[in-house]
Amino acid sequence: MDAILVINAGSSSLKFQVFSIAGMGLEREIRGKIDGIGTRPRLQATAADGTQLIERAFDRAAVRDLPTAIAEARSWLLALEGFKLCAVGHRVVHGGPDYVRPVLIDAGVLDRLASYQDLAPLHQPNNLAPIRLAMEINPDVPQVACFDTAFHRGHAEHTDCYALPRHFYDQGIRRYGFHGLSYEFVAERLREVATKVARGRIIVAHLGSGASMCALRDGRSIESTMGFTALDGLPMGTRPGQLDPGVILYLIIHKGMSAQAVSDLLYHDAGLKGLSGLSNDMRDLLASDDPHAQLAMSHFVYRCVLNAGMLAAALGGVDAFVFTAGVGENSARIRARIVEGLAWVGAELDPAANEAGAMLISTAASRIALHVIPTDEELMIARHTLALISAPNA
Ligand code: ADP
């Protein structure tokens, strides 16, 4: 059967999914990943019905980096029978100032994406490695890049810039916003499940190990809590979120920290992990009675509420608030605490619906609708890929 492969490559994991094409529809057939690259590599894949297809551990040396992981995943995928690969959809974190929608990749596009490497040094090289390899191995199979930034590219210029001299903006120092594929999926899903609300003013909170919020008006992004990099905005598993730039200057100038040490602090040792001194995983904090774990959660909830206020102002009011991603989809306790902080916009939680993880968790009397919508970035990538190969010039 005709199929689309979706690839989401990070620094320590390679996630992949296979979707079969049925007309203009897509069916998820396989969900797989290699994680622990360079440490404890493991290939796992399941079929659509949850049946395990493979579970295999490797020596650290055998899957020491992303290219070797891609090679392993590829040889396993090639051995699968019954799929005819029609296209590969890749998640690419940065589309720079230029890409406002997914794009078919050729050598020119690849060069331009590589030029954004400085804008996302931790992610972009990993995203581009599988593209290069796939183009080399299967030159006839279309490759599509889908960007985390593209969904936000319609922001007005006065929201997109920092108050810096103009030439910095021209060099690409802008507020890009991220998690765009997730927000786009949620916006589409809302149109299906809450058609009227979907046309209104919505705040979507993508609360995973990375976390951000997006303001949607009529299904389009008008503001995001993330900016130039995925460090800004809400506190995250290991990232601090919004931080006075003066702190960074102080650490470098007065504490003698190197730029690399500050980068490691901001990307790997801050956020819930840094503040709790315990864990970057919200589940660990929820299970702990350590006061530092409580502090980290209170800070997280407070910053979510504070940022929701900012986005409500950008929207001129709110009609709905949506929770998505790991924490947003799974933690009734964190949702309840955030909704408590949204009482000022008339949010009223239905505790039973919240505990049950229902799609609608507000009471009938609530002035705003509260939703839980599981995100599906891979399906969004597969949809974009199918749309592009079906009508490449549309
Ligand atoms: P990523 O941002 O890596 O795609 P996810 O959106 O899957 O991650 O979110 C992962 C995070 O979600 C975990 O680190 C954990 O903190 C949180 N999480 C997952 N399940 C739960 C749960 N039941 N309760 C609280 N937090 C959860």
Side-chain angles (χ1 to χ4, degrees), residues 96-98 149 152-163 166 168-170 172-177 222-224 226-228:
D98 306 306
T149 48
H152 304 294
R153 289 283 44 78
H155 290 185
E157 193 179 358
H158 70 278
T159 71
D160 204 32
C161 62
Y162 292 106
R166 177 79 206 180
F168 288 110
Y169 183 86
D170 297 335
I173 301 179
R174 305 178 187 191
R175 298 187 59 239
Y176 291 100
I222 64 145
E223 185 53 276
S224 156
M226 279 181 167
F228 177 58

Side-chain angles (χ1 to χ4, degrees), residues 15 91 179 206-211 237 239 272 280-284 286 324-332 334 375 377:
K15 296 182 192 159
R91 181 184 195 164
H179 291 138
H206 176 109
L207 310 178
S209 49
R239 289 169 261 169
L272 299 177
N280 63 323
D281 193 316
M282 191 66 87
R283 284 166 291 201
D284 296 334
L286 285 161
T324 194
V327 179
E329 291 167 26
N330 297 303
S331 178
I334 296 292
T375 194
E377 289 149 312

